[in-house]
Amino acid sequence: MRMSEGVEWAVHVCLLLDWLETDRPVSTTRLAASYDLPPPYLNKQLQALVRAGIATSTPGARGGFALARPLDQITLMDVVTAIEGPDEAFQCTEIRRRGMGAGSSGPETEIPCAVSIAMHRAELAWRRALAAQTLADVRKQAERVSPRLGERIRAWHARN
């Protein structure tokens, strides 16, 4: 499964918004500068997070983005769905009914094929794994590796 870089950006920005510990919205420009990202493309990801109810948007010169709910209420699956959409990754096109299978009939063509069943089973496991992990879990893991990460992020933003 290949996801767009927008998923990575969105997860990092959600974590960043939490680490900043501010009651004010943070502008796209400031969020983009945090990771040296192009603001227009990041803004598309932020708008997708707003549509999904993960973030809020405040218009105007002092506007920007904030989290709509705590990290422990946002799963990785929520972010993936917000950015990539809800469609399943595997789309069976029933190629078994073409070529050598054209014109075939019988029970083997009336039930889902083994390839489709296997792919859907794997995708379900992947989706369940993402749904089982919150952004709070990801934050804890990041802070285990780098205990002063939040401090460093807030200090960088205070200077820039």
Side-chain angles (χ1 to χ4, degrees), residues 2-23:
R2 184 174 174 96
M3 289 182 268
S4 71
E5 60 189 0
V7 172
E8 177 188 8
W9 296 8
V11 172
H12 276 283
V13 166
C14 286
L15 294 171
L16 175 65
L17 286 168
D18 193 65
W19 271 312
L20 287 174
E21 298 175 348
T22 180
D23 293 333

Side-chain angles (χ1 to χ4, degrees), residues 29 81 90 93 96 120 132:
T29 303
T81 302
F90 180 77
T93 61
R96 66 187 175 153
H120 287 290

Side-chain angles (χ1 to χ4, degrees), residues 30-31 45 55 66 68 91 95-96 114 123 125 137:
R30 289 192 52 76
L31 293 169
Q45 312 317 309
Q91 300 296 318
I95 67 168
R96 66 187 175 153
E123 184 166 345
D137 298 329

Side-chain angles (χ1 to χ4, degrees), residues 141-155:
Q141 177 60 33
E143 290 173 340
R144 268 189 228 114
V145 174
S146 183
R148 297 184 59 203
L149 184 56
E151 268 179 56
R152 289 198 329 266
I153 287 170
R154 288 185 293 280

Side-chain angles (χ1 to χ4, degrees), residues 7-132:
V7 172
E8 177 188 8
W9 296 8
V11 172
H12 276 283
V13 166
C14 286
L15 294 171
L16 175 65
L17 286 168
D18 193 65
W19 271 312
L20 287 174
E21 298 175 348
T22 180
D23 293 333
R24 295 179 314 197
V26 182
S27 73
T28 301
T29 303
R30 289 192 52 76
L31 293 169
S34 301
Y35 297 107
D36 195 24
L37 301 173
Y41 186 63
L42 178 61
N43 192 59
K44 289 180 183 180
Q45 312 317 309
L46 291 165
Q47 291 300 329
L49 293 175
V50 170
R51 285 190 298 277
I54 295 170
T56 60
S57 175
T58 304
R62 299 179 68 80
F65 295 88
L67 290 174
R69 53 190 198 255
L71 291 185
D72 64 353
Q73 295 177 20
I74 305 168
T75 68
L76 286 174
M77 190 71 236
D78 293 335
V79 177
V80 170
T81 302
I83 303 301
E84 299 291 332
D87 295 339
E88 294 179 351
F90 180 77
Q91 300 296 318
C92 181
T93 61
E94 285 294 345
I95 67 168
R96 66 187 175 153
R97 294 182 181 170
R98 294 187 257 161
M100 65 182 170
S104 296
S105 63
E108 67 273 359
T109 61
E110 293 171 9
I111 60 172
C113 74
V115 171
S116 181
I117 291 169
M119 295 300 282
H120 287 290
R121 186 180 308 124
E123 184 166 345
L124 183 58
W126 172 77
R127 287 177 178 270
R128 284 181 177 155
L130 290 174

